[in-house]
Structures are given as C-alpha cells and as structure tokens.
Amino acid sequence: MSKALALVVVLFFVAFCGECYGELRVGFYKGKCGITDVEEVVRDVVRIWHFTKREKDIAAALLRMQFHDCFVNGCDASILLDGNNSEKKALPNSSVRGYSLIDAIKEALEARCKGLVSCADIISMATRDAVVLSGGKWYNVETGRKDGKVSLASNVNLPSPSISVSDSIKVFGSKSLFGNKRLSATDMVYLLGGHTVGNTRCSLIQDRIYNFNNTGVHDPTMSQWLFSELVKKCPRVPSNNVDNIIPLDMKSPSFVDNSFFQEIQKGNGVLQIDQQLAFDGLTKKIVGDIIKDPNFFTKFGEAMVKLGRVEVLTDGQGEVRTSCRVVNKKSFFFGLFN
C-alpha cells in the first residue's frame, strides 16, 4: 500500500469514528434507530423523572450506580440483574437506587428500536443527563457497550469509606481501560468529587464522631463546625433505631459543583476517605488545583468518561438485554447447558 493510500485510509477511519476510544465512540447510535435520537429519548425520561417524580437527588443515585457497576466486572450493567445472589444483594449495593428509572428508559427505547441500546450505555447516558439537571455541565458520553451475563454478590469488593488514600489510588489504578491505561490519582479525586451530591448514614460515620480508631473521641481532622453538626444529626445513642441520612457535601448537597473540594479543605469531609483527600500528601495538591481550576466541570466530565471505559464489553462480547433485569433467554439456556 502506498503512503498516500494509507493516509486516505487513516483519514477515512478518523472521519467515520468521530470521537472514539477503543470500540466505544461518541454517537454510536446515531442513525441506527431511524429518525429517533437515542440520547434524546434517554434525556427526556430522566428529565421527567427529575421534575415530575420529584426525585431531585437522582444524580446522586445514578453516579453511585455507575461507579458500583463499573468497579465490579467493568461497565456491563451487571448491577441491574435480579437474582438471589446477584450484585444487588451485596451489602455495599444495598443503598443503590435508580433501577426503576433505568427500566423506564429501557422500555421507552425498546418501543422505538428493539434490541438496539444496551443497559450499560443507558446507565452512562442517564448519569450524564442527571448530572446536568443537578447543575453540572454537559459532557459527551461514549457508547457501544454490551451487557454482561454474570452478576454475583461474591464479586462485589468495593473500597470502604475508611480506605486510605494510598490504597484507594491502588484500587483505582487496578482498573484497566481500553488502550491498557489505568485510572490515575487525579481521576480518582475527580470521581470521588461526585460525593458533592452523595449521602451516607449515621451508622457509617459513628466511629468518626465518637470513637475514632478506638480513641474515645472524634477524628481530629474533622473541623469543629462539622463535629457539632454531626453530633446534632447523629446522636451517640440513636432513638428508635433511626439511622439519619447525612449529605456528603454539607454546604450545597443538591448541586454538582466543586464546593465538595472547598469543604474538605476546611476539614468538613464527612467520610474519612473524602477528608483525607485534602490532607494526604498524595492528593493534597490535586484538591488545591481543582479548587482554583475554572474548568472543573470539563475535567469532571472527562473523569466520568474514563470511568465508563473500565473493562467494557463491546461487539462479540456480551449482549443487548431486552430487559435490564434479566439476561436474554437464549443466553440463559446457553449458559445453563454449556
């Protein structure tokens, strides 16, 4: 092949692919469902859910869902599968929400273009749309994933809220992306910034408030203001077994912004790992740079795109489920008898 012809081939591939990474690309479904804009269908359902059903915290739910899905067997929607021993049944996933929204999106898409859009792609697109509705900025989502066929609670091994920064960096760095790349420490910090709309419960931070590392006192890295607020919301002895919900960003819990990083720099990080991001030498500078960076929204979106590249299944792997809650019947019988 001549150099001129080779150049033409390369330019044709780039033009055809658009923005792509591995076998994922922006606009994967464009033109594949007649005049229907797949991403617009997803966006409309998320918008209805956000406003009509009054679920203003749907961004927190979907950010958590995408993270929990991608960190177990990759971004393959295995977290959506029902079953007595599926990932849904694992303790770390007991607080994951948003399943009914994903079902509604899938139903709307199946009515227009049956068997085309994967549940794994729906999670990524819906999360982006929910982030935008919560004050974040638009970012292009790569699509083209296939859905996994395996979902086991025993495979769920997610980092705990008390993990050290160094161990967290190792966990994030162990996730392989297309092109043999890994999630970096900077990616990790931005992704944990999704806690700006997240929540936890008193039972998960009780030790930080009253008996940090068995010292009998609160975590010394916690500001006095935060300590006072948490004592009000999380009494040492809960009444009537009430386990109150606590926002992870106490200042602007309903908006996707960089206030989370400003707060942890002041000692107002609710989770131990969040607080340590601002104080640990491995990530302190990253947090400081994010606070000063006017391009927070762009870089947060870039980190979400990288998360969506974790160990994905594409053509020749997985399937496009008819229902996000069960594998397709053909796949079930194939797995049962082979």
Side-chain angles (χ1 to χ4, degrees), residues 313-334:
L313 304 175
T314 52
D315 286 338
Q317 308 165 311
E319 63 181 7
V320 174
R321 292 184 211 137
T322 301
S323 165
C324 291
R325 293 177 179 266
V326 295
V327 298
N328 295 338
K329 288 184 178 180
K330 181 179 178 181
S331 300
F332 173 76
F333 286 113
F334 179 83

Side-chain angles (χ1 to χ4, degrees), residues 4 43 50 84 90 93 133 140 176 215 246 271 293 296 303-304 314 335:
R43 190 158 56 251
H50 179 80
N84 293 331
N93 288 335
L133 288 171
N140 287 323
S176 60
T215 58
I246 305 298
L271 298 181
D293 192 346
F296 164 75
M304 289 300 297
T314 52

Side-chain angles (χ1 to χ4, degrees), residues 36-45 47 125 128-129:
T36 297
D37 183 332
V38 166
E39 295 200 28
E40 186 175 338
V41 172
V42 176
R43 190 158 56 251
D44 286 345
V45 178
R47 186 181 295 115
M125 291 185 285
R128 182 269 314 278
D129 296 334

Side-chain angles (χ1 to χ4, degrees), residues 7-45:
L7 179 60
V8 170
V9 171
V10 170
L11 291 175
F12 173 80
F13 174 78
V14 171
F16 176 77
C17 181
E19 294 180 60
C20 56
Y21 198 91
E23 292 179 87
L24 298 178
R25 68 172 181 269
V26 174
F28 177 85
Y29 295 110
K30 189 174 183 179
K32 295 184 178 181
C33 189
I35 62 172
T36 297
D37 183 332
V38 166
E39 295 200 28
E40 186 175 338
V41 172
V42 176
R43 190 158 56 251
D44 286 345
V45 178

Side-chain angles (χ1 to χ4, degrees), residues 9-285:
V9 171
V10 170
L11 291 175
F12 173 80
F13 174 78
V14 171
F16 176 77
C17 181
E19 294 180 60
C20 56
Y21 198 91
E23 292 179 87
L24 298 178
R25 68 172 181 269
V26 174
F28 177 85
Y29 295 110
K30 189 174 183 179
K32 295 184 178 181
C33 189
I35 62 172
T36 297
D37 183 332
V38 166
E39 295 200 28
E40 186 175 338
V41 172
V42 176
R43 190 158 56 251
D44 286 345
V45 178
V46 174
R47 186 181 295 115
I48 291 170
W49 213 265
H50 179 80
F51 291 111
T52 307
K53 293 186 178 291
R54 300 172 186 264
E55 290 202 42
K56 302 296 185 182
D57 64 344
I58 197 63
L62 293 181
L63 282 165
R64 187 176 181 85
M65 177 186 286
Q66 184 173 0
F67 179 81
H68 282 222
D69 181 52
C70 292
F71 261 54
V72 181
N73 295 334
C75 306
D76 65 350
S78 54
I79 196 171
L80 302 179
L81 289 171
D82 288 337
N84 293 331
N85 297 301
S86 70
E87 290 174 27
K88 283 182 180 178
K89 300 297 183 181
L91 184 60
N93 288 335
S94 60
S95 59
V96 174
R97 299 178 295 107
Y99 299 116
S100 295
L101 170 57
I102 301 299
D103 290 340
I105 296 170
K106 182 63 173 175
E107 183 178 350
L109 289 169
E110 286 293 300
R112 292 165 174 80
C113 32
K114 190 173 180 62
L116 176 66
V117 184
S118 70
C119 302
D121 280 343
I122 290 173
I123 292 175
S124 290
M125 291 185 285
T127 300
R128 182 269 314 278
D129 296 334
V131 164
V132 172
L133 288 171
S134 296
K137 302 300 182 184
W138 178 270
Y139 56 91
N140 287 323
V141 169
E142 296 168 338
T143 44
R145 300 169 188 80
K146 292 295 185 286
D147 299 322
K149 304 174 186 179
V150 176
S151 181
L152 296 172
S154 58
N155 287 339
V156 178
N157 183 23
L158 295 164
S160 78
S162 59
I163 190 173
S164 68
V165 170
S166 58
D167 284 345
S168 185
I169 290 173
K170 290 176 185 176
V171 171
F172 276 75
S174 70
K175 303 302 174 184
S176 60
L177 316 179
F178 274 135
N180 294 320
K181 293 190 177 182
R182 307 277 172 167
L183 291 171
S184 68
T186 299
D187 296 329
M188 178 195 78
V189 175
Y190 271 102
L191 290 172
L192 289 177
H195 286 171
T196 188
V197 288
N199 297 297
T200 189
R201 288 193 177 271
C202 288
S203 59
L204 296 176
I205 56 174
Q206 203 80 358
D207 60 331
R208 281 201 78 208
I209 306 171
Y210 297 110
N211 190 26
F212 183 66
N213 289 343
N214 295 316
T215 58
V217 296
H218 68 271
D219 184 345
T221 64
M222 187 185 297
S223 74
Q224 188 59 44
W225 176 85
L226 179 63
F227 174 64
S228 299
E229 289 297 307
L230 292 179
V231 167
K232 295 176 192 174
K233 299 175 187 297
C234 303
R236 186 185 293 269
V237 180
S239 60
N240 300 319
N241 294 318
V242 174
D243 195 6
N244 289 327
I245 295 174
I246 305 298
L248 298 181
D249 181 347
M250 302 282 279
K251 294 295 186 179
S252 60
S254 300
F255 297 96
V256 174
D257 54 26
N258 75 346
S259 68
F260 166 82
F261 296 104
Q262 297 174 37
E263 291 308 304
I264 63 175
Q265 195 176 60
K266 298 174 185 175
N268 294 336
V270 176
L271 298 181
Q272 185 176 341
I273 179 58
D274 291 350
Q275 187 55 72
Q276 288 308 309
L277 291 177
F279 295 158
D280 193 289
L282 295 171
T283 49
K284 182 177 181 178
K285 184 178 185 303

